Amino acid sequence: MVFALVGLVVLALLGAVHRYVWRRFVGDTTAPGSRLRRAGTVAAFVLPLLSLGAMTSGRLGAPFLLQQVLAWPGFLWLACLLYLTLALLVGEVVRPILLRALARRDAVRGVPRSGMPSGTPAETPGTLQDASGPLARAVDEPRPRTEELVASGSAGVPVPSEAPARTASGASGPKAEQEAEAEPVEESAGRTSAPALQPSRRLFVSRVVGGAAAAAGLATVGYGTYGVLRGPSVRRVTVPLARLPRAAHGFRIAVVSDIHIGPVLGRAHTRRIVDTINATSPDLVAVVGDLVDGSVADLGPAAEPLAALRARHGSYFVTGNHEYFSGAEQWVDHVRELGLVPLENARVEIEGFDLAGVNDIAGETEGQGPDFGRALGDRDRARAAVLMAHQPVVIHDAVEHGVDLQLSGHTHGGQLWPGNHLAALANPTVAGLERYGDTQLFVSRGAGAWGPPVRVGAPSDITVVELASRQA
């Protein structure tokens, strides 16, 4: 019942946001019945349906090809929707400022308050006005006598008084003069009316603000997508451990989390990550969960480059919450076949310290949750301990069991700003290194992306954690 209510609230919110975006980008800037209006309305219905399909097709067991077809446009639209909405909200602040500025300018030039010359139709998308140019100069010049004005479409242009008046039909002579006198030129505030030549003030502002918002939002998403497809950068962090022996000083662990192999990021993505890790020549590789978004049957080939990981003391893996959405047992078996060592609530002794790993807390629904007693309960407390745990929230259990350093991921660093503020509400540390009592916690921003293949304000990374001995 609770999940159903939350789902309805989310759908209502998405509907309201899409309505707002349609109004500002389509309704306020296009004429009713125009091709652009129809195209924008169709897109306002199709794009959210693609997003819904991208988010649910995997869970519903849709064919993997269909998941791939839906994933790119569906997930990218979610990122576009976020930044287009944020840009439009900024535009709501700019909009009245522009309107006031244009109103002051038009007041100085003598244009009526509506932003349109008198005698023109009401202000609607597609209505035109003159705000500058020859017409503005004509309005500001002294008004000639009525009998000296041409009554045709060139109203307001003075002619010699002895020249014969010409009617709209093109006739001239005494009869034409009588017709000209019978059809006086419209006047407003002492000035003659003129044909509208430019967009109305409100329409002009809507198009300027909408165009700027579209450029800013789409450019942000484009740059964030490029950052993900380019691959993660390498960060280096030195972490001193009080109990680390001098012999283990300088031991380097390549920490990678949240690779998220799936319908969007496939084999080429995995290969980029493996090549980046191997280029750092680590002593040990720690894959800290959320490796995949899908089954072994669909994504097994995309994960195969992991077999090329090279490290002096091997590569280790712990489950993340997304493994339990994708068949954790099958993936544990598969990564073992690829040469990685799964640490399922287990511990191994490395040169100078203990390396432990616990299952993700999402495994509790399957009776496979984290067991700190199994992983750390009977160890020698005189030795330093490094713990691999996908979610940072288990840091308090790590402190209780005397862990020196916990390596985690899960947060993506927020992935899409301002998501980092939301991530901070649910995690003790969003990214980087922090201390909790005698335990240090390092949280990676991750090497991939979930959902939209976009990162803004939280670039992907692989971190080489160098352990330092205080005795050295």
Side-chain angles (χ1 to χ4, degrees):
M1 189 68 174
V2 173
F3 284 112
L5 290 174
V6 171
L8 288 175
V9 170
V10 171
L11 288 176
L13 179 61
L14 286 175
V17 171
H18 277 90
R19 169 65 182 173
Y20 168 69
V21 170
W22 176 90
R23 178 190 167 196
R24 285 308 191 200
F25 281 124
V26 181
D28 289 351
T29 62
T30 60
S34 67
R35 290 182 179 179
L36 286 176
R37 173 74 62 93
R38 290 196 295 269
T41 302
V42 169
F45 282 95
V46 171
L47 290 172
L49 290 177
L50 288 174
S51 297
L52 184 62
M55 291 187 291
T56 60
S57 58
R59 302 288 181 89
L60 296 177
F64 188 63
L65 179 60
L66 178 60
Q67 295 179 42
Q68 291 177 303
V69 169
L70 294 173
W72 270 102
F75 283 129
L76 276 178
W77 171 242
L78 289 178
C80 290
L81 181 65
L82 170 62
Y83 290 107
L84 290 175
T85 302
L86 291 176
L88 284 175
L89 292 176
V90 174
E92 298 297 345
V93 178
V94 176
R95 184 184 304 272
I97 298 174
L98 287 178
L99 285 171
R100 284 196 295 269
L102 291 176
R104 285 195 297 269
R105 185 201 68 176
D106 291 345
V108 171
R109 296 183 175 184
V111 179
R113 185 175 181 180
S114 65
M116 301 170 56
S118 62
T120 58
E123 183 178 306
T124 58
T127 302
L128 301 177
Q129 74 167 24
D130 189 348
S132 62
L135 177 60
R137 293 193 295 273
V139 168
D140 292 335
E141 291 174 358
R143 176 177 171 269
R145 294 194 306 275
T146 303
E147 60 269 19
E148 296 177 338
L149 300 176
V150 177
S152 66
S154 300
V157 181
V159 297
S161 57
E162 59 271 16
R166 184 175 298 274
T167 66
S169 62
S172 60
K175 183 177 180 180
E177 292 176 3
Q178 294 176 1
E179 293 178 356
E181 292 177 359
E183 299 177 2
V185 178
E186 290 184 0
E187 295 184 14
S188 175
R191 290 176 171 82
T192 60
S193 63
L197 300 176
Q198 293 183 357
S200 69
R201 185 186 303 156
R202 190 171 298 278
L203 177 61
F204 173 75
V205 169
S206 293
R207 288 177 173 174
V208 168
V209 172
L218 296 178
T220 300
V221 172
Y223 183 76
T225 304
Y226 168 74
V228 172
L229 298 182
R230 178 185 56 191
S233 59
V234 176
R235 299 177 60 207
R236 298 180 184 275
V237 176
T238 299
V239 181
L241 302 182
R243 288 179 287 190
L244 189 72
R246 181 186 297 269
H249 179 74
F251 192 97
R252 290 171 298 116
I253 303 174
V255 181
V256 58
S257 73
D258 303 281
I259 297 174
H260 286 289
I261 304 169
V264 175
L265 302 173
R267 187 183 180 96
H269 172 65
T270 311
R271 169 57 62 189
R272 282 192 297 269
I273 290 172
V274 169
D275 290 344
T276 302
I277 292 173
N278 288 343
T280 67
S281 300
D283 296 309
L284 183 147
V285 177
V287 182
V288 197
D290 277 8
L291 173 65
V292 292
D293 283 307
S295 67
V296 172
D298 291 333
L299 298 176
E304 286 178 358
L306 293 172
L309 284 171
R310 297 288 179 265
R312 187 160 58 96
H313 290 275
S315 302
Y316 295 83
F317 167 80
V318 292
T319 56
N321 54 307
H322 281 248
E323 270 71 60
Y324 292 96
F325 305 149
S326 307
E329 290 186 9
Q330 291 84 357
W331 275 111
V332 166
D333 292 338
H334 190 66
V335 298
R336 185 180 287 110
E337 293 173 0
L338 295 176
L340 282 74
V341 179
L343 291 177
E344 299 182 276
N345 298 320
R347 181 181 75 253
V348 294
E349 292 187 1
I350 306 294
E351 219 174 70
F353 65 96
D354 294 335
L355 178 69
V358 291
N359 295 344
D360 186 72
I361 55 179
E364 292 175 349
T365 59
E366 302 179 12
Q368 300 176 8
D371 188 335
F372 288 85
R374 279 181 56 193
L376 297 162
D378 59 348
R379 73 179 190 86
D380 181 2
R381 290 288 187 109
R383 288 172 58 85
V386 176
L387 174 68
M388 295 170 57
H390 178 63
Q391 298 195 39
V393 293
V394 301
I395 182 62
H396 303 295
D397 294 287
V399 172
E400 182 181 343
H401 286 82
V403 170
D404 295 87
L405 172 64
Q406 176 178 317
L407 304 174
S408 296
H410 183 65
T411 68
H412 295 211
Q415 185 167 328
L416 297 171
W417 183 92
N420 55 309
H421 300 294
L422 297 177
L425 298 176
N427 297 277
T429 298
V430 175
L433 183 68
E434 291 188 2
R435 177 178 289 276
Y436 294 84
D438 293 331
T439 301
Q440 297 181 78
L441 168 63
F442 176 77
V443 180
S444 169
R445 288 192 297 249
W450 179 81
V454 183
R455 281 178 171 266
V456 177
S460 57
D461 64 47
I462 293 167
T463 303
V464 176
V465 174
E466 184 171 335
L467 305 182
S469 172
R470 294 190 183 277
Q471 302 173 21

